[in-house]
Amino acid sequence: MSETICAVATPPGRGGIGIVRISGSACQRVARELLGFIPSPRTAIHTDFCAPDGETLDSGIALYFPSPASYTGEDVLELQGHGSPIALERIVGCILDQGVRLANPGEFTERAFRNDKLDLAQAEAVADLIASGSAEAGRAATRSLTGEFSLRIRELDQRVLKLRMFIESAIDFAEEEIDFLGDTEQQSRLDEMRSLVEALIDRSTAGLTMQIGLDVAIAGAPNVGKSSLLNRLLGEDRAIVTATAGTTRDTLHGDLSLDGLPVRLTDTAGLHASDDPIELMGMERAQTALSTADCVLWVIDDADENLSTPDMYRGKTLVVRNKCDLTGNTPGAVGKTEFRTCALTGAGLSDVCEGLKQVAGFRAGTDAFAGRPRHIAALKRVDDALSQAAKELSVREGELVAENLRVAHESLGEIVGITTSDDLLGEIFSTFCIGK
Ligand SMILES: Nc1nc2c(ncn2[C@@H]2O[C@H](COP(=O)(O)OP(=O)(O)O)[C@@H](O)[C@H]2O)c(=O)[nH]1
Ligand SMILES: [Mg+2]
């Protein structure tokens, strides 16, 4: 941690502005070397950035944030020059000559975490905000980043600790006349905590869903209207549509957003018996798309009486009975997983979209947190421990109640990074971008 680190904080390539960020105790030395002076704290100063031989590498704004009032908690120097990869590389080269090393991915944020500027859930939200693919996912990440999620976790932890203290002292007084553990108030405290945990699981799952989205494969026999469905859902003429069977051979992709839920659609070649080698290769690709998708839109002709759905795939299947304009059936949901559509007019497709949201566990609303699988797993452990504790409390097994409350406390601590192993920390920060 004592090493000073440096990285270009702006994305690679040419741009309006390019920022070099330095964090650590060598910032003042670097400032003196490149700028000739140490900028006043937190003041934007226009200056030249110079090499040791006096050559001007670029000019721009220098910003100095002395420790501890900085992003990382250490001395931080930011040089905001032009977005020229060459100029940035030369500036970084001069800084590295000062005994500074290049930052690892996420190292600035890791230092912020280690210096208590952010807790772990907030640090993760930084990466989630950068990676967010929709306004809704961005909002969920911001909600976590500002500490709203962490606050809920800490409040819950306080409740767990309070009850644990009560239970532990009740164990000590077990011989006394008063039956502390039989008190119904403790049972209702546990119930309250469980509903808080469950709400947090819901809100985090909603955020995770928005972050990872849903992979959907469109499949079925040739000519049932798969490519027409893709085009309709995307609102553009992506795939070639003809009345000739076997038009689609390669898999085709398209992205759409359903109220902030990112959906990746894959159109596939029609599955049927064929000995055309190109079609066979297309069908093989279709099988691969089916086996990796989260959800399959299995398209059939509405006139088709034989409903044979694929059951060997891991994803959920929604049956789409297309061309309902020809059968005269009403478009829309037939059941929870079956729909009638007309890909020519788009009739019935809004119901299919609702079905996809259902499959993803997506819920509308504005209270999602940028959940990560590890948060949700930890919250589920908390939920299990609390439900276990409730059972044990009802048979007055004080010691076991206390033990489960300890487990709940530890799992909550893992989320915000109080009780997190170094390995896990390394894993989390290594997925960040360099310069963050
Ligand atoms: N009447 C009618 N024709 C459709 C509908 N959907 C697709 N088609 C037609 O069916 C033919 C095959 O469509 P296409 O999307 O290429 O099917 P794919 O082979 O499953 O991809 C084309 O002539 C489409 O215009 C629909 O809902 N109603
Ligand atoms: Mg097609």
Side-chain angles (χ1 to χ4, degrees):
M1 280 272 268
S2 60
E3 288 174 300
T4 300
I5 53 171
C6 138
V8 176
T10 37
R14 298 186 173 91
I17 294 174
I19 301 177
V20 177
R21 205 148 53 151
I22 307 136
S23 179
S25 55
C27 278
Q28 292 202 359
R29 195 171 74 229
V30 170
R32 246 184 259 114
E33 196 64 32
L34 266 87
L35 316 177
F37 64 98
I38 298 163
S40 327
R42 289 175 297 283
T43 310
I45 295 163
H46 187 255
T47 176
D48 286 345
F49 311 146
C50 297
D53 64 3
E55 184 196 348
T56 301
L57 303 170
D58 193 2
S59 63
I61 302 289
L63 276 168
Y64 176 49
F65 303 91
S67 164
S70 72
Y71 181 68
T72 59
E74 304 173 329
D75 275 3
V76 168
L77 180 66
E78 256 186 44
L79 304 178
Q80 311 188 346
H82 298 95
S84 149
I86 298 294
L88 289 168
E89 196 184 311
R90 296 183 71 199
I91 293 168
V92 168
C94 288
I95 296 168
L96 296 183
D97 288 343
Q98 302 291 312
V100 174
R101 72 162 168 80
L102 274 182
N104 296 319
E107 200 171 3
F108 290 93
T109 308
E110 182 173 1
R111 289 186 177 199
F113 164 68
R114 294 199 189 267
N115 290 326
D116 289 330
K117 290 281 166 180
L118 298 164
D119 68 33
L120 192 55
Q122 288 176 300
E124 290 173 310
V126 171
D128 292 339
L129 177 61
I130 293 172
S132 60
S134 67
E136 288 76 7
R139 255 183 235 128
T142 312
R143 216 168 280 124
S144 295
L145 176 58
T146 54
E148 201 181 318
F149 176 65
S150 306
L151 183 68
R152 297 273 182 280
I153 299 290
R154 286 171 203 275
E155 279 171 359
L156 188 61
D157 196 30
Q158 284 307 312
R159 286 175 184 246
V160 170
L161 283 179
K162 207 167 145 198
L163 182 58
R164 188 173 154 200
M165 268 157 55
F166 179 87
I167 300 288
E168 302 215 340
S169 50
I171 297 169
D172 294 339
F173 290 103
E175 306 299 313
E176 309 278 310
E177 298 254 314
I178 314 160
D179 181 8
F180 285 112
L181 293 178
D183 187 352
T184 54
E185 200 189 320
Q186 313 317 325
Q187 200 52 264
S188 59
R189 277 197 196 166
L190 272 173
D191 291 345
E192 266 171 40
M193 285 184 233
R194 285 196 66 197
S195 55
L196 289 175
V197 178
E198 278 151 25
L200 283 175
I201 292 177
D202 272 3
R203 295 175 68 179
S204 306
T205 308
L208 180 65
T209 305
M210 279 195 282
Q211 194 80 280
I212 59 178
L214 192 71
D215 253 317
V216 179
I218 306 176
N223 242 350
V224 290
K226 299 178 295 300
S227 299
S228 305
L229 273 175
L230 174 88
N231 289 346
R232 261 286 157 185
L233 287 167
L234 294 179
E236 59 180 276
D237 261 344
R238 176 68 54 89
I240 298 172
V241 169
T242 72
T244 314
T247 304
T248 310
R249 300 186 156 191
D250 227 334
T251 45
L252 269 172
H253 303 279
D255 292 311
L256 87 154
S257 166
L258 298 179
D259 299 332
L261 171 72
V263 175
R264 280 173 303 276
L265 291 173
T266 303
D267 181 25
T268 63
L271 300 168
H272 69 125
S274 163
D275 46 20
D276 177 304
I278 303 175
E279 263 202 294
L280 285 173
M281 283 167 84
M283 280 191 259
E284 209 177 298
R285 290 184 181 203
Q287 298 285 1
T288 308
L290 281 171
S291 62
T292 56
D294 302 314
C295 175
V296 174
L297 288 183
W298 184 254
V299 188
I300 61 171
D301 194 311
D302 193 32
D304 194 350
E305 296 297 327
N306 306 320
L307 176 73
S308 61
T309 55
D311 52 5
M312 61 286 216
Y313 309 112
R314 103 184 147 90
K316 302 206 171 124
T317 303
L318 298 182
V319 176
V320 178
R321 311 185 68 101
N322 192 39
K323 305 197 186 184
C324 72
D325 52 314
L326 298 180
T327 56
N329 288 323
T330 317
V334 182
K336 273 198 160 167
T337 58
E338 199 172 323
F339 306 86
R340 279 207 179 87
T341 61
C342 169
L344 295 187
T345 62
L349 284 189
S350 57
D351 295 271
V352 175
C353 291
E354 287 307 314
L356 290 175
K357 285 196 240 168
Q358 279 263 318
V359 169
F362 177 83
R363 55 173 212 173
T366 51
D367 65 351
F369 290 123
R372 291 194 162 204
R374 71 167 200 97
H375 300 162
I376 294 163
L379 285 168
K380 286 189 174 152
R381 281 200 299 280
V382 175
D383 197 29
D384 284 348
L386 294 179
S387 98
Q388 212 44 46
K391 277 190 212 131
E392 289 149 3
L393 185 64
S394 65
V395 292
R396 313 208 181 155
E397 289 279 8
E399 307 270 357
L400 295 176
V401 178
E403 169 58 15
N404 271 302
L405 291 174
R406 189 192 62 76
V407 172
H409 167 65
E410 229 156 65
S411 303
L412 289 168
E414 259 175 48
I415 297 174
V416 287
I418 297 170
T419 51
T420 314
S421 72
D422 272 354
D423 285 353
L424 182 60
L425 290 179
E427 204 178 293
I428 290 169
F429 286 108
S430 67
T431 63
F432 277 55
C433 21
I434 300 224
K436 191 65 236 176

